[in-house]
Amino acid sequence: CFPVLPRRLSYPGLLPEAWHDVCLYEEGNLTEHLRKAVGDPEAARTAGAEISSAMQRFSWERMAPVYRQALERATAAGSAL
């Protein structure tokens, strides 16, 4: 998996700065950015593997317990009303 994301909204803050030029595109440059990724699939694959390790903080295995706790607190607070 190789992210191609706009250089706006929350994406620059979520992605390590070292990957901004590789993964983030400026408005109006999506097609050019996709051509680069498709034109060099091996580089995209390598970058995807490296980015994957940096994005483990968002993995389901890590986030599921956090979401579960938040939902349990929300439902417990709602039942106390």
Side-chain angles (χ1 to χ4, degrees):
C1 178
F2 177 78
V4 175
L5 306 163
R7 191 182 298 264
R8 58 186 178 80
L9 305 172
S10 65
Y11 297 115
L14 297 174
L15 194 66
E17 194 170 337
W19 294 103
H20 283 194
D21 289 339
V22 176
C23 299
L24 301 177
Y25 66 88
E26 298 292 341
E27 190 170 331
N29 288 337
L30 174 60
T31 303
E32 179 184 334
H33 208 85
L34 288 172
R35 276 193 191 117
K36 287 180 185 177
V38 172
D40 192 352
E42 187 57 37
R45 217 174 280 118
T46 299
E50 292 176 17
I51 292 166
S52 178
S53 65
M55 297 287 96
Q56 284 302 307
R57 66 182 185 213
F58 300 114
S59 73
W60 181 248
E61 291 80 14
R62 175 134 190 243
M63 294 306 299
V66 174
Y67 293 146
R68 182 184 316 267
Q69 278 186 334
L71 289 169
E72 287 172 354
R73 282 194 307 269
T75 56
S79 65
L81 298 176

